[in-house]
Each structure stands twice: as structure tokens, then as C-alpha cells.
Amino acid sequence: MDKSVHIIGSGFSALAASCYLAKQGYNVKVLEKNNTLGGRARQYKKDGFTFDLGPSWYWMPDVFERFFADFGKKPSDYYTLDKLSPGYEVYFGKNDSITISDRLEEIYDLFEKEERGSSKHLKSFLDSAKANYNTAIKDLVYKPGVSPLELVNTTTIARVTQFFSTIRKQVRKNIKNKKLIQILEFPVLFLGAKPSNTPAFYNFMNYADFGLGTWHPRGGMYKVIEGMVTLARSLGVHFELNANVEKILVDDQKKVKGLLVNGKQVDTNLVLSGADYHHTETLLDTNLRQYSESYWSKKTFAPSSLLFYVGFDKKIKNASHHTLFFDSDFDAHAEEIYDNPKWPTNPLFYANFTSMTDKTSAPEGKEAGFFLIPLAPGIKDTEELREAYFHKIMDRFEQLTNQEVKKHVLFNRSFCVKDFEKEYNSYKGNAYGMANTLLQTAFLRPKIKSSKVKNLYFTGQLTVPGPGVPPALISGKIASDLIIKNQQ
């Protein structure tokens, strides 16, 4: 049997799958359309500043440990982690912010200070979150999404009601303080949906936040990509850059027979796509696609983002490595993303200053700033709108943190809907994939194995288990396991 496989894309899920398949003796070739590896987790360097273009939060360190352990390695063999202290800071108004400690006892004290009796409810909430985390990470999220029966065991049966309630209901049942509610509802944004549409079972993200902490790979998230590429190469994986896959070729028996790459046919009988799922299916003839345009248009997608990478000629004050700005109406912004898509009137935003922790991110005395505004996917994207929103959030940042920053901007690069579409073939320019709502969880997500083309598989944030970097690593393992099982 020919044990060769071509992988489209080189993001976290594709890299993970390449390692697992190479370990099992497959001859693996990764085809990346861009000129650097890492998919959305690329790097941008300018004038001594270094930015992660994509993912900026390192949560769930145990998932990374499990991945490297599968190859007899540790994350520390490839990069150095620093636990952030504080984990992050949240602004609710001028001179009104809450700092989230890296110690659970201090978080309990913080809650009690804001709302008497809330620490008791938080402890109970986190006990549930920890139990759900253990259930999810040790079992459920490693299932291939083939059958509903994957979700049925004694543990999940005991928690079945949590799949039919929501994070919002669970959080607000006992906690009444608006600030504390927003802090507890924030982590599910990584799953790409509103708290009111996210099953309560996903409170395990709160355990990932408070229980496991927030970390930073020294040198940035791209160090994780570099570590995975080093591991993959040591296992024999081959990489080809600037390799744009234009079509998936299928024979008369509806089996993969090759790829059209930069206008040339490459023979292969096994393909795994880590590229955008919707885009990958457009590389097939219409009759070989599993999902119609109507199917995709009805799905709830995670937001897109307007991103700014900013070099400042001074150090920033009154902010943390990760700083969230919740001084505007959360529900109104969410409605302008999911229910009535348009450019937000008064958006929440996020700022990340890695150079506060990592001196390699910016020249001495300067600061590297990464700003993110969640947006509805598919909306109009123009340079004029980007510029207007840059000034909008810079004005708010100055006011809230009580400092001048606009006149200290050395440069500003933006990245938005059109860039997500162009650079990553992302459906409607979404940034995180398909949201993890109840009807888009596990076996209800697009399948890893094509039902119409033999030897065609998918991995990444549009299939199981869902959005985020740790789920992407897991998706790579799930896809590779399914390939190995089906090829035996």
C-alpha cells in the first residue's frame, strides 16, 4: 500500500496531523500557498518589532503537552513558556478596571470584593467547569464526530442538561454583578458564539482561564509553530511554500488521484486539507461537494476581526500584556456581529502588548501593540473604514488609560475581512471558524472524512472539535487517526 499523503495548508491542525502521520510511516508533503509556514499563526516583523499576525492567547497548556508527549517530547524542548501575572486586565470605564490574577485564591477575593457571597458561587461554578474540562479534554474532544453515540457515556449522561442550557443562564443564575458576569462570559468568545447560544457545558473554558492560567511563549506564538515544524521535519515531513492548490483531481471511481498545484498536476491518492473547509470543497467539481452554498450560508460563523499591528515609540502605561476593553455594551456589539451584521457602533476591543512581557517583541523603550475588534464576517471592508476605526479605538484607549498614544505611533498595519479571504481563503473572511453552538457541536459539524470523494479528509476549525489553537492540535490528531484507521 502506498503510504503517501499530501496536506493542504500548514496551520496548527495541518502541522499536528503531519507529525502523527509521519510517525506512522507516511510519506508526508505539506503544501502551503503563502511564503511562510503556520497558516493564520504567521509573524510580522518591522523595524525591530515582532508581531504574531494571528493567535495571541496561549491557554490549555496541557493540550500542547499532550501533543508533544505523543512524540516523546515536551514543549520546553522547543520554546520557553512564561505564566502571565496578571493573566489579563479588563477595563469597564475610565479609571475602572479589574485585574485577573494568576492565582485562584486572589480571584476568589476579587469576586468577593465586587459582590459579597459571589466567591462561593464562583467556587461551585469552577468545580463544574473543572469536571467538564476533564470530561471534554480527556475524552469528548478527541472523538471524530462520526456518530452521536460518541457523546454518550455515564459522565455525559450526568451532564446532559448542560448541553441544553447556556453559559449565560448558568453564569447569571447566581452572579449579579455586571462586571463579574462579563468576566465569566468572556472566555466562550474563543468558541466563536454569544454566551446566550453557547451550551453551559462549555464553561470548561472558565477553568482553562482561572484554573490553568494564561501563558506566553517567549518570542511569541510563532515559536510554537517553529517548534512543530522542527518536530515535523525530524519525522521526515516535507514542506513546499508558495504551493497554491487550484483543484483536487478525482478519478471515475470518485477517488482522489491528484492535485493541480500552480498549474501543474501532482499525483497523489490521499489528501488531507487543513485549508478552509468551504474553500477546499470549491476545488472539487460541484457534484463532489458534500455541502451546498445554502448549507454554509445558514451556519453561524465566528466573527471576523479588524486587527492593527502598531509600533509605539514609548512604553505604554496602565495596561497589561492582555487587556480587554468592555466599556461599551456587550450585547449591542454582539447583535451587530450575529443578528444584524454591520460595522459596530461602539465596539468592544482587545489590546495585546507582548513587549511588556517579552523584550524581544520591540526595541528598548518602545512597545508593540496588537489591537483587535470583532466584526461580522462578510461585511464591507475598506481602507477608509479601517482608518476610522483605528482612530475610534485609539481615542478610547487614550481616554480609558489616561495617556497620549496617537502621536507616538511609528507605524500601523491593518488586517481585516478582505485579508482573511485573500490570505487564508477564509469563508466570508471569518477569523476563527464555525461557532460552537448546540447545533454545531461534535457530530453536527462538517465531517472529517468526505462522504463523496474517497481518500479526501479535512482538519481544522470548521470541523471537529472547533475554533481555537488547542482544538486545532486536537483536530490534527483526530484526522490523522481516522486516516490511519481507514487506510489499514
Side-chain angles (χ1 to χ4, degrees):
M1 182 184 74
D2 179 17
K3 293 184 73 172
S4 296
V5 58
H6 283 73
I7 298 179
I8 305 173
S10 65
F12 280 106
S13 58
L15 289 177
S18 75
C19 292
Y20 285 110
L21 290 168
K23 182 184 176 185
Q24 290 299 313
Y26 280 79
N27 177 18
V28 182
K29 176 167 275 190
V30 174
L31 304 172
E32 169 56 53
K33 72 179 279 288
N34 293 314
N35 60 7
T36 58
L37 299 172
R40 299 176 194 222
R42 294 187 294 164
Q43 204 172 56
Y44 170 51
K45 293 188 176 187
K46 181 179 174 66
D47 300 337
F49 292 84
T50 301
F51 303 87
D52 284 310
L53 278 175
S56 61
W57 290 76
Y58 192 104
W59 269 8
M60 302 164 68
D62 52 319
V63 174
F64 295 86
E65 290 164 5
R66 178 168 173 174
F67 167 74
F68 284 108
D70 284 341
F71 304 93
K73 301 291 185 180
K74 305 184 295 294
S76 59
D77 293 330
Y78 301 97
Y79 53 89
T80 301
L81 280 178
D82 294 313
K83 191 176 187 185
L84 297 185
S85 180
Y88 55 92
E89 184 174 1
V90 186
Y91 268 88
F92 299 96
K94 186 175 175 66
N95 300 318
D96 182 11
S97 69
I98 286 179
T99 299
I100 302 300
S101 169
D102 64 326
R103 296 182 64 246
L104 202 46
E105 286 304 319
E106 291 182 5
I107 296 174
Y108 290 140
D109 291 342
L110 165 69
F111 268 63
E112 194 63 26
K113 180 181 176 182
E114 290 291 327
E115 180 182 334
R116 190 173 178 181
S118 64
S119 62
K120 172 185 150 186
H121 298 307
L122 178 61
K123 287 176 183 175
S124 174
F125 179 77
L126 288 180
D127 283 345
S128 165
K130 182 177 182 180
N132 286 345
Y133 187 89
N134 289 333
T135 298
I137 301 304
K138 292 179 181 177
D139 188 16
L140 291 186
V141 295
Y142 284 90
K143 302 293 187 184
V146 173
S147 162
L149 296 178
E150 293 170 1
L151 299 180
V152 180
N153 59 45
T154 54
T155 306
T156 54
I157 289 172
R159 291 179 168 78
V160 69
T161 58
Q162 294 188 41
F163 286 94
F164 297 98
S165 182
T166 68
I167 288 288
R168 171 153 290 193
K169 287 180 182 177
Q170 190 180 54
V171 165
R172 298 182 182 215
K173 181 179 179 182
N174 295 308
I175 304 289
K176 305 305 177 186
N177 181 282
K178 184 179 178 182
K179 296 177 188 175
L180 301 184
I181 286 171
Q182 286 188 290
I183 289 169
L184 287 175
E185 290 183 348
F186 143 69
V188 300
L189 298 180
F190 287 100
L191 302 173
K194 295 190 294 186
S196 57
N197 288 338
T198 303
F201 180 78
Y202 285 105
N203 70 1
F204 66 72
M205 292 297 292
N206 294 96
Y207 176 70
D209 177 0
F210 291 167
L212 299 176
T214 304
W215 301 76
H216 174 71
R218 210 172 291 172
M221 289 292 287
Y222 197 68
K223 288 296 179 185
V224 185
I225 291 292
E226 289 179 339
M228 294 179 72
V229 170
T230 298
L231 172 62
R233 284 189 165 129
S234 74
L235 294 165
V237 176
H238 300 278
F239 293 93
E240 187 175 332
L241 298 174
N242 302 305
N244 184 36
V245 177
E246 298 160 337
K247 190 169 181 63
I248 298 171
L249 306 173
V250 180
D251 66 18
D252 293 340
Q253 281 72 49
K254 296 184 178 179
K255 180 180 178 182
V256 169
K257 70 173 183 179
L259 297 169
L260 192 65
V261 183
N262 296 335
K264 296 181 180 179
Q265 182 170 333
V266 175
D267 294 334
T268 183
N269 58 16
L270 180 57
V271 169
L272 169 63
S273 179
D276 179 272
Y277 201 123
H278 168 269
H279 169 73
T280 303
E281 286 223 311
T282 68
L283 304 179
L284 295 163
D285 291 338
T286 306
N287 66 309
L288 298 176
R289 299 172 191 174
Q290 302 167 93
Y291 306 106
S292 66
E293 289 300 318
S294 173
Y295 168 90
W296 292 110
S297 68
K298 291 174 183 176
K299 293 301 175 184
T300 300
F301 274 80
S304 185
S305 295
L306 171 55
L307 302 162
F308 297 107
Y309 312 99
V310 188
F312 295 99
D313 69 3
K314 72 164 194 172
K315 299 301 289 183
I316 299 296
K317 302 181 300 181
N318 305 328
S320 298
H321 180 122
H322 294 296
T323 308
L324 303 159
F325 292 86
F326 286 177
D327 56 307
S328 59
D329 189 318
F330 178 95
D331 289 333
H333 188 177
E335 183 178 333
E336 291 169 331
I337 293 174
Y338 297 102
D339 306 321
N340 181 27
K342 64 179 181 179
W343 279 82
T345 308
N346 194 24
L348 287 74
F349 67 98
Y350 154 66
N352 167 17
F353 304 99
T354 53
S355 45
M356 290 182 177
T357 302
D358 188 341
K359 303 309 177 189
T360 67
S361 295
E364 187 174 354
K366 299 178 182 180
E367 208 84 87
F370 169 111
F371 295 83
L372 181 154
I373 302 173
L375 297 176
I379 61 173
K380 182 181 180 181
D381 171 18
T382 68
E383 291 301 320
E384 291 76 18
L385 281 166
R386 297 187 191 194
E387 185 71 12
Y389 275 80
F390 179 71
H391 289 292
K392 185 185 287 259
I393 66 168
M394 285 298 108
D395 288 341
R396 272 178 49 205
F397 184 83
E398 287 188 330
Q399 180 187 13
L400 292 166
T401 63
N402 195 30
Q403 64 188 311
E404 287 187 322
V405 297
K406 287 171 75 172
K407 69 180 185 181
H408 294 280
V409 171
L410 294 170
F411 61 84
N412 161 35
R413 175 183 174 182
S414 65
F415 196 97
C416 198
V417 175
K418 289 193 298 189
D419 301 301
F420 281 101
E421 292 175 336
K422 178 182 177 227
E423 300 292 325
Y424 312 128
N425 294 314
S426 175
Y427 181 73
K428 291 187 176 181
N430 80 83
Y432 311 110
M434 188 183 287
N436 264 340
T437 61
L438 176 62
L439 297 179
Q440 295 180 175
T441 292
F443 65 94
L444 297 173
R445 297 181 72 81
K447 302 302 182 187
I448 282 181
K449 184 178 184 293
S450 173
S451 61
K452 291 196 172 183
V453 178
K454 188 176 180 182
N455 287 356
L456 175 60
Y457 296 81
F458 302 83
T459 187
Q461 57 192 7
L462 292 188
T463 183
V464 291
V469 175
L473 294 180
I474 294 167
S475 184
K477 175 172 174 51
I478 295 170
S480 60
D481 284 348
L482 203 56
I483 289 172
I484 292 162
K485 177 183 176 183
N486 290 338
Q487 295 296 309
Q488 288 176 345

